[in-house]
């Protein structure tokens, strides 16, 4: 193995450059593949951008059909929008030369083959949907594997409460009235028609139904979550909006977007942001279609639950996901009242480290040890965020397992911006890159990316498993004495999520930081949920809040154990890094809800994929929809199910503790569970 510096400018998004190189190595870089990408567009309109890109890259850019003519023509100071691009166009957009297109950020998503992209799809405004004047709240769900035919989302055997479902991984159907660039948008009328087709003797053949919607397919090597006993999206949607079919609830229509399973199962570094941005844009237009059927002129309120998380990002409220959610709350009209997010489950994952920049007395650098596990079939990515003060300089050296020490990579401009590690065959197997993230982030980011340590394909270039050593040394510059570096000035590092989630075929294994001074257990052997006072370890539980949940606008939910009323040990926490005004956007989660019955009985019971089935799932992801349900109850002034129905399971609900005009506050003993 050998390190070398690359020529030219560093990419805007180092992970995207790494993924494109890895895709070229492993898949031959098929020319007919389309990459989804979230673009940070400044001082322009989508129409103007398309005109410039179409001239520079003819036939290589597609705008998704979720954008209306008004969306395309709106000129904004900043907006995040999605395109599908061929590899050459995306590579060009990922260089600083993209500024000529007014593009200042690129987040990559999934790679699609040409057969799955419907380039001819166009925007279709949804028809108006009347709802009852009182007690009506639209529940929005973004998740993967939502079993939309589950009887908890129906008012009768062939009558659905799901007003619209966008199945983003399904093959598109040309005859659909609301076809999409990817996947299939299915209206309630179409769902009801499919329910009638696959119901016989009063019983629904659910497997056939999901085959007809494209949610179950075994034609390729893909994974269909709703074919399993337990699916994440079904569990979440049932807690947020589930009700017994015989209750015939008409005041809680559901709109949802089911993310492609690949977003969840593929942890090679791709971002879910493009898919999330498309889902938000689609649900934004769906939400505007609801109207009260009486004289009431107010918009129908919408509560959106998004039970996904991420370890990476600046964690200061300025990241792309923070702006994206803010964009849809502040610019989405009066319909969207609240977005509810989980706090994250990374409290004990050892994926966050804090490295002080103040020089030691012996002037030696601080060593951060990173463990890259064996049998990891996905790429791994680590972020090192330099403090916002531009006078700080940090110098990095990376030593791979059994390999040579890298040259110094400095956060200072004017020095080499990227180092690559090649194996004996000349393949790039790791990158250490410096990039400057523009305002409002306005921080220097050092990124380390390296190849999988195992592969089922013998020809793939691999990285050795073992211990990486990252040496970080800070110093003063621009005439500033080293002594002026404050004790609180530190490089904040996060490892991106790499562990394949339960239920999916194994592949990814989570790298972690290692430090002998990190204490894992308390006095009685239970996992230590908080950092000991005056800890000398570089690994921190503080600051593990999900990278999606650092903005000021969403309601962020932690998980608690119902038995002890204590936070679950995995539930992530703040504080956040200081924002542009040196004040964090939040100090941590806003509210806690049940994520576990006890330390022994993990998880809460909710719906399985099949109607009538029940499963347990644990985490802040299952706590968040309970709060979304409670928020909806408060918005309309009445619970979804006013009283137990004869013969139905009893409901448990604790009133109070909620203040939806401000942030949710307090610690509910038992937030509503539909079972």
């Amino acid at each position: 193995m050998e390190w070398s510096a690359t020529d030219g400018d560093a990419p805007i998004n180092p992970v995207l450059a790494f993924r494109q190189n890895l895709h070229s190595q492993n898949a031959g870089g098929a020319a007919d593949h389309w990459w989804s990408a979230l673009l940070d567009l400044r001082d322009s309109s989508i129409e103007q951008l398309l005109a410039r890109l179409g001239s520079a890259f003819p036939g290589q850019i597609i705008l998704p059909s979720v954008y209306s003519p008004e969306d395309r023509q709106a000129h904004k100071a900043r907006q995040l929008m999605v395109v599908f691009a061929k590899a050459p166009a995306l590579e060009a957009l990922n260089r600083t030369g993209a500024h000529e297109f007014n593009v200042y950020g690129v987040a990559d998503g999934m790679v699609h083959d040409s057969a799955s992209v419907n380039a001819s799809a166009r925007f279709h405004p949804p028809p108006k949907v009347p709802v009852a004047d009182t007690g009506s709240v639209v529940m929005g769900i973004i998740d993967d594997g939502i079993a939309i035919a589950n009887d908890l989302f129906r008012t009768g055997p062939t009558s659905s409460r799901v007003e619209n479902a966008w199945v983003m991984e399904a093959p598109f159907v040309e005859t659909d009235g609301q076809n999409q660039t990817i996947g299939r948008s299915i209206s309630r009328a179409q769902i009801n028609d499919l329910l009638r087709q696959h119901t016989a003797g009063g019983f629904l053949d659910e497997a056939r139904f999901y085959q007809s919607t494209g949610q179950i397919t075994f034609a390729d090597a893909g994974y269909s979550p709703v074919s399993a006993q337990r699916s994440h999206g079904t569990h979440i949607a049932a807690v947020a909006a589930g009700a017994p079919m015989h209750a015939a609830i008409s005041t809680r229509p559901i709109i949802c977007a089911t993310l492609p399973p690949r977003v969840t199962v593929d942890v090679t570094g791709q971002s879910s942001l493009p898919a999330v941005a498309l889902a938000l844009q689609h649900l934004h237009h769906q939400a505007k279609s609801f109207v009260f059927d009486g004289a009431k002129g107010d918009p129908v309120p919408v509560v959106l639950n998004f039970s996904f998380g991420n370890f990476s990002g600046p964690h200061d409220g300025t990241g792309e996901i923070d702006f994206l959610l803010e964009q849809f709350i502040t610019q989405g009209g009066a319909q969207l009242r609240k977005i509810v997010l989980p706090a994250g489950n990374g409290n004990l994952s050892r994926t966050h480290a804090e490295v002080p920049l103040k020089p030691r007395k012996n002037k030696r650098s601080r060593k951060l040890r990173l463990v890259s596990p064996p049998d990891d079939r996905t790429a791994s990515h680590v972020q090192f965020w330099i403090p916002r003060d531009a006078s700080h300089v940090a110098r990095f050296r990376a030593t791979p397992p059994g390999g040579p020490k890298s040259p110094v990579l400095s956060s200072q401009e004017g020095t080499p911006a990227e180092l690559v590690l090649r194996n004996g065959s000349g393949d790039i197997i790791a990158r250490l890159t410096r990039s400057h993230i523009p305002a409002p982030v306005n921080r220097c980011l050092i990124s380390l990316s390296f190849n999988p340590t195992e592969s089922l394909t013998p020809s793939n270039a691999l990285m050795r498993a073992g211990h990486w050593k990252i040496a970080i040394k800070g110093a003063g510059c621009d005439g500033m004495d080293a002594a002026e570096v404050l004790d609180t000035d530190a490089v904040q590092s996060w490892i991106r999520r790499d562990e394949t989630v339960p239920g999916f075929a194994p592949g990814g294994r989570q790298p972690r930081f290692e430090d002998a001074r990190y204490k894992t257990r308390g006095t009685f052997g239970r996992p230590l949920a908080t950092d000991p006072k005056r800890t000398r370890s570089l690994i921190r539980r503080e600051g593990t809040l999900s990278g999606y949940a650092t903005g000021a606008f969403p309601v962020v939910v932690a998980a608690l154990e119902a038995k002890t009323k204590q936070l679950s040990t995995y539930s992530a926490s703040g504080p956040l890094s200081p924002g542009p005004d040196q004040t964090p956007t939040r100090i941590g989660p806003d509210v806690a809800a049940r994520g576990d019955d006890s330390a022994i009985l993990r998880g809460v019971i909710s719906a399985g994929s099949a109607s009538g089935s029940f499963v347990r799932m644990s985490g802040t992801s299952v706590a968040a929809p309970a709060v979304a349900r409670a928020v909806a109850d408060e918005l309309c002034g009445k619970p979804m199910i006013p009283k137990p129905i004869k013969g139905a399971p009893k409901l448990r609900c604790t009133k109070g503790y909620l203040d939806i005009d401000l942030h949710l506050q307090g610690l509910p003993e038992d937030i509503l569970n539909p079972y």
Side-chain angles (χ1 to χ4, degrees):
M1 294 185 287
E2 184 178 3
W3 289 95
S4 62
T6 60
D7 297 327
D9 296 328
I12 295 175
N13 184 344
V15 172
L16 170 55
F18 178 85
R19 285 196 69 222
Q20 285 196 302
N21 178 73
L22 193 63
H23 183 71
S24 178
Q25 289 178 357
N26 298 344
D32 63 340
H33 286 174
W34 291 94
W35 292 67
S36 62
L38 181 72
L39 306 183
D40 187 347
L41 182 62
R42 308 288 179 99
D43 193 28
S44 182
S45 68
I46 295 176
E47 205 69 79
Q48 291 171 332
L49 173 67
L50 292 178
R52 292 192 292 267
L53 291 177
S55 175
F57 308 104
Q60 297 191 47
I61 299 291
I62 296 175
L63 182 72
S65 58
V66 294
Y67 294 100
S68 68
E70 292 77 14
D71 296 329
R72 297 165 63 112
Q73 295 166 9
H75 190 286
K76 299 179 181 179
R78 185 190 184 194
Q79 58 181 317
L80 299 181
M81 46 87 65
V82 179
V83 297
F84 293 95
K86 292 293 181 70
L90 189 58
E91 184 177 359
L93 285 172
N94 196 31
R95 297 288 170 177
T96 54
H99 293 175
E100 69 182 79
F101 300 105
N102 288 29
V103 173
Y104 285 78
V106 184
D108 58 307
M110 296 186 305
V111 183
H112 304 264
D113 60 61
S114 58
S116 65
V117 177
N118 181 12
S120 62
R122 296 293 180 266
F123 175 79
H124 294 274
K128 295 297 181 183
V129 181
V131 295
D133 271 5
T134 58
S136 292
V137 178
V138 179
M139 301 302 297
I141 310 289
I142 299 177
D143 218 295
D144 73 322
I146 305 174
I148 59 176
N150 192 292
D151 60 12
L152 292 172
F153 313 134
R154 288 185 270 156
T155 57
T158 59
S159 178
S160 177
R161 289 171 48 218
V162 179
E163 195 62 42
N164 181 274
W166 183 12
V167 184
M168 300 179 73
E169 190 79 336
F172 60 84
V173 178
E174 292 288 356
T175 57
D176 279 356
Q178 297 181 8
N179 58 352
Q180 297 284 357
T181 305
I182 58 169
R184 183 182 179 191
S185 177
I186 311 173
S187 67
R188 186 168 70 89
Q190 292 169 326
I191 293 173
N192 291 344
D193 184 53
L194 292 174
L195 289 173
R196 287 189 290 270
Q197 290 179 34
H198 300 295
T199 298
F203 292 94
L204 174 66
D205 187 337
E206 295 185 46
R208 291 265 185 171
F209 175 91
Y210 295 125
Q211 283 181 306
S212 66
T213 62
Q215 291 178 272
I216 291 181
T217 174
F218 299 108
D220 54 25
Y223 176 70
S224 303
V226 297
S227 66
Q229 178 186 16
R230 181 174 67 176
S231 51
H232 188 267
T234 308
H235 192 286
I236 299 306
V239 176
M245 183 170 66
H246 51 271
I249 299 298
S250 61
T251 55
R252 294 290 171 87
I254 300 169
I255 53 177
C256 61
T258 63
L259 300 177
R262 286 188 290 155
V263 168
T264 305
V265 72
D266 183 3
V267 287
T268 57
Q270 74 174 25
S271 172
S272 59
L273 283 181
V276 174
L278 289 175
L280 284 168
Q281 188 72 26
H282 175 74
L283 295 185
H284 164 65
H285 289 293
Q286 292 295 327
K288 291 195 298 183
S289 68
F290 290 88
V291 294
F292 288 112
D293 59 5
K296 193 174 181 180
D298 297 333
V300 181
V302 178
V303 176
L304 175 66
N305 187 90
F306 176 41
S307 283
F308 269 53
N310 194 335
F311 290 164
S312 60
H315 287 73
D316 60 5
T318 63
E320 291 169 315
I321 186 66
D322 303 309
F323 180 80
L324 185 63
L325 296 176
E326 177 186 346
Q327 175 176 302
F328 280 90
I329 289 179
T330 59
Q331 302 176 15
Q335 289 89 358
L336 186 55
R337 298 291 182 86
K338 289 293 181 183
I339 294 179
V340 182
L341 301 177
N345 304 330
N347 190 50
L348 304 180
S349 63
R350 285 181 271 181
T351 55
H352 174 225
E354 184 177 292
V355 184
L357 278 176
K358 188 168 184 177
R360 290 175 165 183
K361 292 181 179 179
N362 58 15
K363 304 297 183 181
R364 291 181 180 177
S365 59
R366 288 178 169 86
K367 303 290 196 305
L368 191 59
R369 189 179 294 266
L370 171 69
V371 178
S372 175
D375 199 31
D376 182 7
R377 301 173 198 169
T378 58
S380 300
H381 307 273
V382 190
Q383 294 184 338
F384 302 91
W385 291 91
I386 313 301
R388 182 167 274 102
D389 189 340
S391 63
H392 294 321
V393 170
R395 296 175 174 85
F396 292 77
R397 280 184 182 269
T399 306
K405 184 184 298 184
S406 75
V408 172
L409 183 78
S410 173
S411 63
Q412 189 172 13
E413 297 291 336
T415 59
E418 186 174 50
L419 302 172
V420 297
L421 178 67
R422 298 179 185 271
N423 61 14
S425 302
D427 298 317
I428 296 176
I429 56 175
R431 289 176 184 262
L432 188 64
T433 309
R434 180 191 70 240
S435 53
H436 180 78
I437 312 302
V441 179
N442 198 27
R443 292 172 70 180
C444 177
L445 169 64
I446 306 295
S447 303
L448 172 65
S449 301
F450 50 90
N451 279 21
T453 60
E454 184 56 83
S455 174
L456 300 179
T457 304
S459 60
N460 289 352
L462 302 178
M463 185 67 230
R464 293 176 183 173
H467 290 78
W468 283 79
K469 297 176 183 177
I470 315 295
I472 303 176
K473 189 174 184 179
C477 69
D478 297 333
M480 186 181 79
D481 294 331
E484 292 182 28
V485 179
L486 303 178
D487 292 337
T488 55
D489 293 333
V491 172
Q492 300 287 345
S493 179
W494 287 274
I495 306 173
R496 293 186 67 161
R497 185 182 70 83
D498 195 19
E499 188 80 39
T500 302
V501 298
F504 290 83
R509 298 191 64 195
Q510 182 66 52
R512 68 182 187 278
F513 293 121
E514 193 172 84
D515 189 340
R517 295 168 295 185
Y518 181 81
K519 189 176 180 181
T520 61
R521 301 280 171 175
T523 305
F524 300 104
R526 194 176 181 190
L528 195 61
T530 58
D531 293 317
K533 292 183 179 179
R534 295 183 293 277
T535 179
R536 297 179 60 214
S537 174
L538 300 179
I539 305 173
R540 297 298 169 88
R541 297 167 183 84
E542 291 183 347
T544 52
L545 195 70
S546 166
Y548 285 177
T550 61
F553 288 89
V555 177
V556 179
V557 184
L560 61 81
E561 297 172 0
K563 183 73 173 178
T564 63
K565 307 299 186 293
Q566 299 295 315
L567 291 180
S568 300
T569 55
Y570 56 77
S571 188
S573 64
L576 272 61
S577 299
D581 61 355
Q582 299 302 309
T583 303
T585 53
R586 61 169 59 245
I587 60 173
D590 299 306
V591 66
R594 184 174 57 167
D596 301 286
D597 285 334
S598 70
I600 304 300
L601 196 58
R602 289 293 187 186
V604 298
I605 294 176
S606 185
S609 298
S611 297
S613 65
F614 303 92
V615 296
R616 276 190 178 274
M617 292 187 72
S618 175
T620 57
S621 289
V622 304
V627 173
R629 188 183 188 110
V631 168
D633 287 346
E634 293 291 327
L635 280 173
C636 65
K638 58 190 297 187
M640 182 177 178
I641 305 175
K643 60 182 179 180
I645 298 170
K646 187 177 181 180
K650 291 184 178 180
L651 303 175
R652 294 183 295 169
C653 178
T654 297
K655 297 294 290 182
Y657 302 102
L658 299 175
D659 181 0
I660 58 170
D661 293 328
L662 304 172
H663 281 305
L664 292 170
Q665 298 174 353
L667 197 65
E669 293 184 359
D670 186 22
I671 289 233
L672 185 62
N673 185 319
Y675 304 104

